[in-house]
Amino acid sequence: MGIELSLADVPLGPFEGSLVTVYSAKSKGANLHVSRQCGQLRTSEVRTADVPLETAMLRRLCARCAAWGVWGRPGTGLGMFLGALGGTGLLYQLQSYVEPDEEERWTEREAREAAELLRTEQDVDPGDDEEEVEGGISRREAREDAEELRGLIFAHWRGAGRSLHRAQATLAHFPWLEEWAKPALTVKTLYLETLRAQAARFVDPEELVAAAAATALAMPELPHADPAFAVLGGNSRVSRALVDLWHRWQSAAGRPWEGPRTRAYLSYEIVRGIRSNRKGYDEARAETARLIASWEEQARAAAAPADRAPRCRLTAQMPEASEAMPRHGVRDFLDGLDTWTLGVLLTWTVDADWGSGVLTLEVPDLVAERLLSSVSNLPCSPAAAARDLPERYRGPGRQQGIVRPGVFDDTPVFDRRPVTPDHIRALRTLGPGPDELYLVFSAGGGAEVLPLDTIEKRLAKGWLGVLIAGTRDLPGSVLDPAEPKQSPEPEAGEAQRSGRGEGVHDLHFGEGLGLAEGTRRTLRQTYATEDRNLNLRLLALARSAHDLRSLDAGQPGGLPTAVWHGLLTEDRLSLAPFRQPGSDRWRSGSGLPLGPLAAVQVYTTNASPLIEGKGHSPLCRHAHERAVVAGDDLLTVADLMARTDLDWCSKCGGYAIRRLSDTQLSYYRAAHQLHDIKKRLDGGTGVADTETSTVITRLEELAAWSPVDEEQWRGSDSWQWQDTIRELRRKVSRYGIGGGSMR
């Protein structure tokens, strides 16, 4: 009984009427396409239109676009909704695992006979493997066929569970689809139960209890001094070999499909690497076999008095891939569970919410003890304590945040709705992958740029805010993927870029410290065109972050290294103009105010003299070029000027500075030019007659300097700047002409 569903059958809910872009040929009644590159769009004259999303429009879509088309902008509610339906999404899952596969089909009788064969085979002597059984095949071949069928049935059960989980998890984000999907979900649930019953035939509840008893045994006293083990070597080697044997046996005993006959082969492991004709070989193996048999007896004795009745009720959470992983990289459903745990789920599950992956089990006490112990890889808790599970582990009835217009970047900001943890999960699981950074707004913090992990942590603490835009939402009209123009005089080199040496009056002096050079560095280290566009957006958004430590490169999915080089520079600032005048001609400065440079940020791995170790730039090789992390220290240029207790790395200089804004770079150049004029005039050499007018003109230009925001250039800094220029003007007018002495 197959199920056939199409995109046109899906209720559109709050997304009905949303505008989508489609392409078509110009002929009347032509099919619509969601991509201009669709292989079914065979025309050179393509018409583009924005049309409302509605059932009539969906019926006109070509079959390829309806099934596999990529709709809308990634990261928007509409894009996630349509993306969740197509490809291997909801429509595919609702039609999968609803009946036996045509190519991998088996009968109920075949499953029953295979289970009976494997159960009886555990007591058969290995020497009878070649004995012929019904059908003209050997006992070994019959067993291998039965094991293959068991693996096939288990794989289909896991696949059906995974498919039902994905379908229900998707529907939780779009509740208006639940009633429409109910018939398909009913069929899937019935088929899953059929597979579970078939798979459960291969599991013996007695073996599960015995395996639980074996794993609960404490290590017994081992016969380290037994002469039978002398062939293994000295006492220490014998001890290690016996301890390893115990752990191997206990691990094997915890796997119910490996019966005593399989575990008996461990007696060969202890003499591995020893020649079989060596004296003492047979004695060691025989004593090992007796030791293993004694452990088997201990396990049976421990399991014998145990109550087999399933009296303990537990809530279990199915493991799945980390939500931080891309959707296409998730591992298979139920991955990481051993055969014992899978057997428990098949045997004692009494209720299941596959959407949230929460199952309710009723198990015997011994089984419950193992599930609740540290050795279990299945998160469990007593059913009465289910409220203590993390929110995403709760059972049925938990309401998730609905994905709809107004949460993501698909409506005016004025109408934006607060984001919730469930919306973050939707971004991770329904989209092609979340953006690295988001511009958010909250009443308490204003506008901020934050990674998704940070937003999620804040939401867990009650933060209330909205998403304004993701990295990929930034308008391309203000981002040019072409590399900014290089300096026309690259031979000026280090003197121009870092601000050291001569050339302070050059137009490009200090440009290596600025934003434009940061953009060039990012583009130089990025190769693919798509990556260049993305990194430019990341760089633009990251430059809005007040503190780069909030971008924490230590989190998964952090910024690319190329972007960090666009944010920071290890070039040193020349601070000579801002030092106080003194008698040391090499250290003496002009006493200029730091002005806009005072707040320039400086990042280092260690700025505390009380903590051992030198400070390194976050981009230094000694710091593994890890970029800025949350635990780094943040200083300012003003701090650098004031402190003398800093211990810096000799290779990188100890810190990286945040690249200078246009205003800061302009002031940096102006300060160096004023410092240069002051040095010449204070040096007593004066200026030649031909240079006097040039110096006076330059002083007038420097006097007129002010930042774009003049509010930043008022008060003592501005007065000090102007006082210095007035003093230099007096010196020029008094001593400049004729190059007279200037003292």
Side-chain angles (χ1 to χ4, degrees):
M1 180 182 62
I3 297 177
E4 292 190 8
L5 298 171
S6 70
L7 188 61
D9 299 325
V10 179
L12 301 176
F15 294 104
E16 186 167 9
S18 300
L19 291 180
V20 294
T21 301
V22 295
Y23 307 90
S24 69
K26 291 190 175 181
S27 58
K28 186 176 181 180
N31 282 344
L32 301 179
H33 306 265
V34 299
S35 171
R36 184 184 289 273
Q37 284 72 43
C38 177
Q40 302 298 319
L41 186 56
R42 301 187 182 95
T43 179
S44 58
E45 297 182 356
V46 178
R47 181 170 58 186
T48 304
D50 290 333
V51 299
L53 183 67
E54 53 190 22
T55 301
M57 183 274 287
L58 294 176
R59 295 189 188 282
R60 290 183 57 192
L61 283 178
C62 83
R64 178 179 297 180
C65 288
W68 300 98
V70 179
W71 293 74
R73 285 188 297 110
T76 64
L78 177 62
M80 283 189 281
F81 173 62
L82 294 172
L85 297 175
T88 58
L90 182 61
L91 287 172
Y92 176 84
Q93 299 301 336
L94 290 178
Q95 298 172 85
S96 302
Y97 292 100
V98 294
E99 60 183 358
D101 190 281
E102 289 293 335
E103 298 181 357
E104 297 179 329
R105 185 184 291 269
W106 61 87
T107 64
E108 181 70 23
R109 178 183 174 182
E110 289 173 332
R112 183 176 63 255
E113 291 178 349
E116 291 174 355
L117 174 64
L118 292 176
R119 189 172 294 113
T120 58
E121 278 291 298
Q122 294 194 16
D123 300 324
V124 175
D125 191 291
D128 298 334
D129 273 359
E130 300 306 318
E131 178 184 331
E132 190 173 290
V133 296
E134 184 179 353
I137 62 175
S138 68
R139 187 179 297 276
R140 176 178 54 80
E141 291 173 326
R143 184 174 64 250
E144 290 175 351
D145 289 344
E147 289 174 346
E148 182 179 355
L149 180 57
R150 177 180 64 186
L152 187 62
I153 293 175
F154 266 70
H156 276 254
W157 170 68
R158 287 159 59 107
R162 176 186 64 244
S163 180
L164 184 58
H165 163 70
R166 290 182 177 176
Q168 290 187 341
T170 300
L171 289 169
H173 294 291
F174 312 108
W176 63 89
L177 299 178
E178 291 179 355
E179 193 65 31
W180 164 79
K182 188 177 292 184
L185 291 178
T186 300
V187 175
K188 288 179 69 65
T189 303
L190 291 174
Y191 183 58
L192 176 63
E193 175 56 27
T194 299
L195 291 172
R196 187 207 63 78
Q198 290 179 346
R201 291 182 181 276
F202 295 88
V203 180
D204 185 351
E206 288 291 324
E207 291 182 353
L208 297 177
V209 175
T215 56
L217 289 176
M219 183 185 297
E221 185 176 349
L222 301 174
H224 306 292
D226 193 322
F229 297 114
V231 70
L232 301 180
N235 289 338
S236 62
R237 294 190 63 179
V238 171
S239 296
R240 287 196 301 270
L242 291 177
V243 169
D244 180 65
L245 177 67
W246 164 261
H247 289 310
R248 284 173 177 267
W249 173 85
Q250 194 171 44
S251 175
R255 299 190 289 270
W257 294 347
E258 299 181 16
R261 189 182 71 171
T262 302
R263 295 191 287 274
Y265 280 99
L266 291 174
S267 63
Y268 289 94
E269 290 294 326
I270 202 168
V271 290
R272 180 185 293 274
I274 300 175
R275 296 192 314 273
S276 59
N277 61 353
R278 183 175 174 181
K279 183 180 179 180
Y281 177 93
D282 292 333
E283 290 82 354
R285 200 181 68 77
E287 185 60 31
T288 301
R290 286 192 290 271
L291 191 59
I292 291 174
S294 70
W295 294 342
E296 295 282 352
E297 182 59 34
Q298 289 181 43
R300 286 192 293 271
D307 187 354
R308 271 29 177 204
R311 303 178 186 279
C312 190
R313 194 175 182 90
L314 303 180
T315 299
Q317 170 63 42
M318 295 297 94
E320 57 182 329
S322 166
E323 291 176 344
M325 295 175 63
R327 182 178 61 170
H328 300 296
V330 297
R331 62 180 187 240
D332 198 8
F333 191 60
L334 301 179
D335 262 7
L337 297 184
D338 54 40
T339 54
W340 181 86
T341 305
L342 291 175
V344 168
L345 297 182
L346 287 167
T347 306
W348 288 303
T349 297
V350 295
D351 190 20
D353 176 16
W354 290 96
S356 62
V358 175
L359 306 184
T360 302
L361 312 176
E362 287 186 354
V363 298
D365 291 341
L366 261 179
V367 174
E369 289 176 13
R370 175 168 170 176
L371 287 173
L372 295 173
S373 70
S374 59
V375 300
S376 174
N377 51 9
L378 180 68
C380 290
S381 66
R387 60 181 178 274
D388 297 329
L389 286 169
E391 184 182 357
R392 64 180 295 271
Y393 290 175
R394 300 289 172 79
R398 187 176 69 85
Q399 291 295 318
Q400 293 198 5
I402 300 174
V403 176
R404 56 185 173 183
V407 176
F408 308 102
D409 185 28
D410 49 9
T411 59
V413 175
F414 181 82
D415 294 328
R416 206 63 55 85
R417 302 172 186 272
V419 66
T420 69
D422 287 315
H423 294 138
I424 302 299
R425 279 191 281 276
L427 273 174
R428 296 190 191 282
T429 58
L430 299 179
D435 287 343
E436 291 80 355
L437 297 176
Y438 285 87
L439 176 62
V440 302
F441 177 81
S442 65
E448 299 175 274
V449 174
L450 299 173
L452 200 62
D453 283 348
T454 302
I455 298 173
E456 196 165 26
K457 291 174 183 176
R458 289 192 181 186
L459 287 170
K461 297 179 180 179
W463 181 77
L464 183 66
V466 297
L467 300 180
I468 303 298
T471 304
R472 292 168 178 81
D473 298 323
L474 298 183
S477 58
V478 297
L479 300 171
D480 184 4
E483 189 169 329
K485 292 183 179 180
Q486 297 282 350
S487 167
E489 300 176 6
E491 64 275 7
E494 189 70 14
Q496 293 182 356
R497 288 198 298 270
S498 68
R500 295 190 294 270
E502 301 299 327
V504 297
H505 295 282
D506 189 280
L507 180 63
H508 302 286
F509 173 77
E511 70 177 5
L513 302 166
L515 299 179
E517 177 61 22
T519 302
R520 280 193 287 268
R521 285 292 301 272
T522 295
L523 291 175
R524 287 193 206 110
Q525 297 181 28
T526 310
Y527 304 104
T529 300
E530 183 178 346
D531 291 340
R532 288 166 71 92
N533 288 326
L534 174 60
N535 282 355
L536 280 180
R537 284 172 162 78
L538 286 171
L539 180 60
L541 204 52
R543 282 173 173 169
S544 303
H546 174 68
D547 184 346
L548 297 183
R549 293 177 299 179
S550 66
L551 307 183
D552 195 359
Q555 296 186 105
L559 296 179
T561 302
V563 175
W564 282 108
H565 281 281
L567 293 169
L568 300 170
T569 177
E570 290 183 302
D571 287 343
R572 303 296 86 181
L573 283 173
S574 174
L575 300 176
F578 314 106
R579 297 194 190 101
Q580 293 303 313
S583 57
D584 185 347
R585 59 176 297 190
W586 302 111
R587 299 286 298 171
S588 178
S590 297
L592 298 178
L594 280 171
L597 298 176
V600 170
Q601 294 178 343
V602 176
Y603 292 90
T604 178
T605 60
N606 180 19
S608 173
L610 301 178
I611 298 178
E612 185 177 359
K614 294 180 179 292
H616 296 273
S617 159
L619 303 177
C620 177
R621 291 182 181 178
H622 293 164
H624 308 293
E625 301 181 47
R626 56 167 172 70
V628 178
V629 299
D632 282 342
D633 289 331
L634 172 61
L635 304 174
T636 63
V637 169
D639 295 329
L640 288 183
M641 294 284 292
R643 291 182 59 174
T644 59
D645 59 347
L646 299 169
D647 186 14
W648 297 135
C649 165
S650 59
K651 179 177 178 60
C652 67
Y655 58 86
I657 66 169
R658 192 163 181 172
R659 291 192 176 274
L660 305 185
S661 67
D662 292 344
T663 294
Q664 291 167 340
L665 181 57
S666 173
Y667 179 70
Y668 181 74
R669 288 168 170 165
H672 273 273
Q673 291 167 9
L674 188 58
H675 176 58
D676 180 67
I677 294 173
K678 190 173 188 300
K679 281 199 306 181
R680 293 170 60 192
L681 294 176
D682 287 350
T685 59
V687 293
D689 292 346
T690 55
E691 297 181 17
T692 301
S693 59
T694 302
V695 171
I696 292 175
T697 301
R698 188 61 192 134
L699 288 173
E700 290 175 353
E701 293 172 351
L702 293 173
W705 186 92
S706 65
V708 175
D709 184 0
E710 295 192 7
E711 292 294 329
Q712 301 176 4
W713 194 236
R714 291 183 178 178
S716 61
D717 286 350
S718 175
W719 299 336
Q720 189 176 352
W721 178 264
Q722 295 298 336
D723 283 345
T724 302
I725 293 175
R726 281 193 291 269
E727 177 63 24
L728 293 179
R729 280 173 170 168
R730 286 195 292 269
K731 287 187 177 183
V732 171
S733 62
R734 185 180 309 168
Y735 306 113
I737 298 176
S741 177
M742 297 170 57
R743 289 182 172 85

